[in-house]
């Protein structure tokens, strides 16, 4: 069994932790580029009665 699974993590959590540690280990000039990839945008749409009701962007 994988060590991350034994520690009680799922793969997504393990992957996020590994990516964060890798970004911190980068040289400062490369760290800026990697930090841009850390941003994410999520769009939520509430559906009711089979039709989209309201779009929430975070």
């Amino acid at each position: 069994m994988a060590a991350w699974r034994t520690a009680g993590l799922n793969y997504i959590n393990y992957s996020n932790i590994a990516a964060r540690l890798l970004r911190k280990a980068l040289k400062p000039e490369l760290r800026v580029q990697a930090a841009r990839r850390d941003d994410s945008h999520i769009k939520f749409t509430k559906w009711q009665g089979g039709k989209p009701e309201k779009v929430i962007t975070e």
Side-chain angles (χ1 to χ4, degrees):
M1 183 179 277
W4 51 268
R5 174 115 18 218
T6 306
L9 298 172
N10 61 28
Y11 182 76
I12 298 296
N13 294 92
Y14 165 75
S15 178
N16 285 336
I17 292 168
R20 187 170 49 241
L21 290 173
L22 177 66
R23 281 187 222 104
K24 285 183 178 181
L26 290 173
K27 293 180 180 180
E29 59 272 7
L30 297 176
R31 194 177 298 168
V32 173
Q33 292 175 348
R36 280 189 235 135
R37 286 186 228 118
D38 196 26
D39 292 337
S40 63
H41 302 281
I42 300 172
K43 177 180 162 184
F44 295 96
T45 304
K46 184 177 178 182
W47 288 71
Q48 192 167 36
K51 296 182 181 178
E53 217 176 60
K54 186 178 180 184
V55 176
I56 303 169
T57 306
E58 292 186 15

